[in-house]
Amino acid sequence: VSTQSTGNSVQDARKVLEFARAAHPDKRAVLYGHSMGTGVVCQTAYQLLDEGAPVDAVILEAPFLSIPDVVFKSPVVRFVNNLPLYKDFLWQFSDLFRTKDVIGDLSGVLLLFAENDEVIPTCHATELHRLCPGSTLHLVPEGGHNFLIHQDSVKRAVEEHLKQNSLRSSRN
């Protein structure tokens, strides 16, 4: 599922992956995204899967269901929902990065999320985990929205996920 709104970012990600695969054909392809980048990663992985060229693993740090789900429901921006024309303005972007619509088709997905994320509510991670059978959800009590990857438990979760997914990969 890609739209003109998401198309440029996904196209750029695909070009980077194409370059990396050409330069290192013997290596596994792993896509890693943080926050807004998780939407790009999921759309890219979904398109590649649909074309018969799937990636080996997908790692999503602070993922979200969709941009409207974050904007309309987030406590950070809740106060602006009452501004005149705000919702009408945002609905024109309602198709942006609808991760919830594509994640269920992906495999090798690791979801990393801080329970104290101040931007995206934890329910996004738990719902994405529910929508993606076989995914792994790693919740961290602290870390916030931007510094999760620096936590030792997260580094271990990523390493373990990559080890597990190397067993399923045809590009070892």
Side-chain angles (χ1 to χ4, degrees):
V1 177
S2 180
T3 64
Q4 188 59 32
S5 302
T6 61
N8 291 339
S9 298
V10 172
Q11 184 178 359
D12 289 346
R14 291 180 62 134
K15 290 286 186 192
V16 170
L17 182 60
E18 181 181 312
F19 176 81
R21 280 181 162 170
H24 304 282
D26 58 326
K27 301 291 184 184
R28 296 181 297 143
V30 176
L31 297 181
Y32 190 112
H34 171 262
S35 193
M36 183 72 87
T38 66
V40 176
V41 162
C42 279
Q43 293 292 334
T44 303
Y46 179 80
Q47 285 183 11
L48 292 166
L49 176 67
D50 193 46
E51 295 167 9
V55 296
D56 299 295
V58 174
I59 302 173
L60 306 174
E61 181 184 346
F64 53 88
L65 294 165
S66 72
I67 294 295
D69 286 314
V70 173
V71 173
F72 292 135
K73 298 173 185 173
S74 173
V76 173
V77 294
R78 189 174 290 151
F79 73 96
V80 295
N81 282 336
N82 295 322
L83 295 176
L85 304 177
Y86 179 72
K87 287 186 180 181
D88 292 336
F89 170 75
L90 281 180
W91 274 115
Q92 62 186 311
F93 303 105
S94 65
D95 62 343
L96 281 177
F97 301 117
R98 298 182 62 83
T99 303
K100 64 184 178 183
D101 293 343
V102 299
I103 197 167
D105 292 326
L106 303 179
S107 61
V109 176
L110 172 61
L111 303 159
L112 304 169
F113 207 88
E115 292 175 353
N116 69 340
D117 190 310
E118 63 278 5
V119 178
I120 302 170
T122 308
C123 63
H124 286 249
T126 56
E127 179 63 10
L128 289 172
H129 180 53
R130 187 190 69 75
L131 291 170
C132 187
S135 66
T136 301
L137 175 58
H138 184 76
L139 289 174
V140 178
E142 296 182 12
H145 186 73
N146 290 314
F147 302 106
L148 198 58
I149 193 58
H150 301 293
Q151 302 240 358
D152 288 338
S153 71
V154 173
K155 291 175 185 176
R156 285 190 300 272
V158 169
E159 289 172 2
E160 182 61 30
H161 185 73
L162 293 176
K163 284 179 192 174
Q164 289 175 356
N165 282 282
S166 70
L167 299 174
R168 296 194 307 239
S169 174
S170 61
R171 288 189 189 89
N172 289 334

